[in-house]
Every structure is written in structure tokens, then in C-alpha cells.
Amino acid sequence: MSTEEPTGQASFAKKLDITMEGQKSSGKIYRLEDVAQHADAQDLWIAIHNKVYDITKFLEEHPGGLEVLLENAGQEATYAFEDVGHSLDARDLLSQYYIGDLHQDDRTEKAATAVVTENNGSSTNLLVVLGVAALAAISYYMFTSRA
């Protein structure tokens, strides 16, 4: 039996920490009621994957705009974060704002997360392109057959 590390796409996906569990703990524990006290543009905390982040300094830089962050201010925002499909770079950037963990009683079950692969969704892109090409061909055929 081989003890070598898997290579290629499988090893890349296996090494990903998309739930930020591998993030070293700061040792600080916060309740959701603590997080809720930081819910405006001057002082904004959110909880994602049972980790607490002070993202106040990031508000103006957020590519999705300030509004979406304010909507989730002071709350458990794992679903909203995952629903958008943030990139690995965004997850790495988030780690800079980590300040602690949620108290055990306030933790949520693991959020369903998509498997991120090295090809960055090129299979999906290919299907979209093929679908558009098929529709164009059908439209062309229907248009030219009427003439």
C-alpha cells in the first residue's frame, strides 16, 4: 500500500480549507449576542463557519458592495457567504479579519459547500458554450428554412 500523497486535481481539492477550519484559533470566544452588537458601518462583525470576523476595515473594498455586508452585519452569515460562491482568494482575504470563534452553544452545523476544483468550473463553461451554440444552430436552421 502506498503512503504517497495523491497528485493532481484530487489532492488540490483535498487540501482546500473552504470552511476555514484549519485557521489557527485566536483563543477568543464570542457569543452571537456579542457579534450582534457590532452591526453598523463603523463597527461590523460577522460569523462565518463558526468563526468571527471584524470586517469593518474591509467594507469599502468589498467587490460586492457595502449593502450586502450591512444586510448580514452582526449575524451568522455562512449561508450568505457560501450562496455567492466566494473564490479561494476571497476566503484567504477573509482570514485577515479573523478575531475569534463562536461559542459552542451558538455554533451551526457545517454549511453545505461546493467542491472547488483546480479547473475553476471550465466544464460548466463548456456546457454553457455548447448550449448557446446549439440554440444558435437551431435558430439559424429555423430562420433559413422559412425563406
Side-chain angles (χ1 to χ4, degrees), residues 4-35:
E4 290 180 30
E5 285 288 315
T7 58
Q9 200 170 10
S11 66
F12 178 78
K14 190 173 186 176
K15 291 179 185 178
L16 293 178
D17 183 20
I18 61 175
T19 62
M20 288 95 114
E21 283 183 5
Q23 191 165 41
K24 186 176 178 182
S25 176
S26 71
K28 294 184 180 176
I29 305 294
Y30 297 98
R31 299 297 306 248
L32 274 176
E33 59 196 38
D34 298 326
V35 176

Side-chain angles (χ1 to χ4, degrees), residues 86-130:
H86 284 90
S87 67
L88 295 177
D89 289 338
R91 292 168 194 280
D92 186 49
L93 184 62
L94 182 63
S95 69
Q96 297 175 26
Y97 301 99
Y98 169 74
I99 57 171
D101 298 304
L102 274 181
H103 187 276
Q104 191 66 34
D105 293 343
D106 292 333
R107 290 175 173 252
T108 58
E109 290 186 30
K110 292 201 183 304
T113 56
V115 174
V116 180
T117 60
E118 205 168 9
N119 68 6
N120 294 325
S122 62
S123 298
T124 304
N125 293 342
L126 178 61
L127 289 175
V128 170
V129 169
L130 289 175

Side-chain angles (χ1 to χ4, degrees), residues 30 33-40 43-46 54 56 72-75 99:
Y30 297 98
E33 59 196 38
D34 298 326
V35 176
Q37 294 175 11
H38 304 270
D40 59 53
D43 183 24
L44 197 152
W45 292 11
I46 56 173
D54 179 351
T56 309
N72 293 285
Q75 301 178 50
I99 57 171

Side-chain angles (χ1 to χ4, degrees), residues 40-74:
D40 59 53
Q42 288 73 41
D43 183 24
L44 197 152
W45 292 11
I46 56 173
I48 298 174
H49 290 294
N50 301 317
K51 306 284 185 190
V52 179
Y53 302 91
D54 179 351
I55 58 170
T56 309
K57 294 178 182 176
F58 181 65
L59 295 179
E60 297 300 322
E61 298 172 35
H62 186 249
L66 175 67
E67 296 78 24
V68 68
L69 297 177
L70 288 172
E71 286 174 17
N72 293 285

